[in-house]
Amino acid sequence: YCATVTNTGNGCSASSCTTLTVDTCRPTVAATNNGPITCTNPTRTVSVSATGCGGSYTYSWTGNSSTGASFTTSNAGQYCATVTNTGNGCTASSCTTLTVDTCRPTVAATNNGPITCTNPTRTVSVSATGCGGSYTYSWTGNSSTGASFTTSNAGQYCATVTNTGNGCTASSCTTLTVDTCRPTVAATNNGPITCTNPTRTVSVSATGCGGSYTYSWTGNSSTGASFTTSNAGQYCATVTNTGNGCTASS
């Protein structure tokens, strides 16, 4: 812009020029975060970068009271930064959304017990579903790091399942019981064999355990609790608890 000033009394004039410039440079900004929030990393950093214009900047955020270029938070949500060029007051904004992943698997510990004389070892296992990730396993009562193990020891076993994607855990317990009850047995006979009583009965009684029983004999092919015989000798009964396979003899 050039101004010409004229003296009205004599018509003489003089001129001067000035140049008015413009500075509306807005910074280039980008808001980011290092999320998501997880069980392993419950706090995350939200930040904004500002480039261009060659000046210094001030910062303000929606969703947080920070006045810096970055802050840490444990709250998921959208955060928008407004960056002001202190040289000219021009602003630019950028938003970022901090997500959360605290999905815990659904777990269920089970076993195929009880431990019995027929099955002295049993399997303890845990199922894990949900979250769509991979899992690691640890147990109380056993050193296994797998989803299942076999054992001959009764007791409570608790599995802790960790979602490897976010470090979140869930636990479940199962109690493996034992059933090795052996019946109390007593073999008897109503002998002796005589001329009056040439055949006699050999029998066995079985009590306890509350189950049903099977019978086998040495010296006779009977599979019952008693038999008659005309042969003297030793007869031994083996009684098996059908519920657990445990035996006792007399």
Side-chain angles (χ1 to χ4, degrees):
Y1 296 93
C2 292
T4 300
V5 180
T6 303
N7 183 334
T8 58
N10 59 15
C12 295
S13 61
S15 297
S16 179
C17 293
T18 185
T19 300
L20 175 61
T21 60
V22 62
D23 176 9
T24 53
C25 179
R26 298 177 186 275
T28 300
V29 300
T32 58
N33 69 79
N34 66 345
I37 293 166
T38 64
C39 295
T40 306
N41 296 288
T43 61
R44 288 298 195 175
T45 301
V46 178
S47 58
V48 64
S49 63
T51 58
C53 303
S56 59
Y57 308 106
T58 60
Y59 307 88
S60 64
W61 294 87
T62 61
N64 191 275
S65 60
S66 174
T67 57
S70 66
F71 61 90
T72 58
T73 183
S74 57
N75 299 316
Q78 186 183 68
Y79 296 94
C80 294
T82 297
V83 181
T84 303
N85 181 344
T86 57
N88 60 14
C90 295
T91 62
S93 297
S94 178
C95 296
T96 185
T97 299
L98 177 60
T99 60
V100 61
D101 176 10
T102 52
C103 180
R104 298 178 187 275
T106 300
V107 301
T110 57
N111 69 79
N112 66 344
I115 293 167
T116 64
C117 295
T118 305
N119 296 289
T121 61
R122 287 298 196 176
T123 300
V124 178
S125 58
V126 65
S127 63
T129 58
C131 302
S134 58
Y135 308 107
T136 60
Y137 307 86
S138 65
W139 293 86
T140 61
N142 191 277
S143 60
S144 174
T145 57
S148 65
F149 61 90
T150 57
T151 183
S152 57
N153 298 317
Q156 185 183 68
Y157 297 94
C158 294
T160 298
V161 181
T162 302
N163 180 344
T164 57
N166 60 15
C168 297
T169 62
S171 298
S172 178
C173 297
T174 184
T175 299
L176 176 61
T177 60
V178 60
D179 176 9
T180 53
C181 180
R182 298 176 186 276
T184 300
V185 300
T188 59
N189 68 80
N190 65 346
I193 294 168
T194 64
C195 293
T196 306
N197 296 287
T199 61
R200 286 298 193 177
T201 300
V202 179
S203 59
V204 65
S205 63
T207 58
C209 304
S212 59
Y213 308 108
T214 60
Y215 306 87
S216 64
W217 294 87
T218 61
N220 191 276
S221 60
S222 174
T223 57
S226 64
F227 61 91
T228 57
T229 183
S230 58
N231 299 315
Q234 185 182 65
Y235 297 94
C236 293
T238 297
V239 181
T240 302
N241 180 345
T242 58
N244 60 16
C246 296
T247 62
S249 297
S250 177

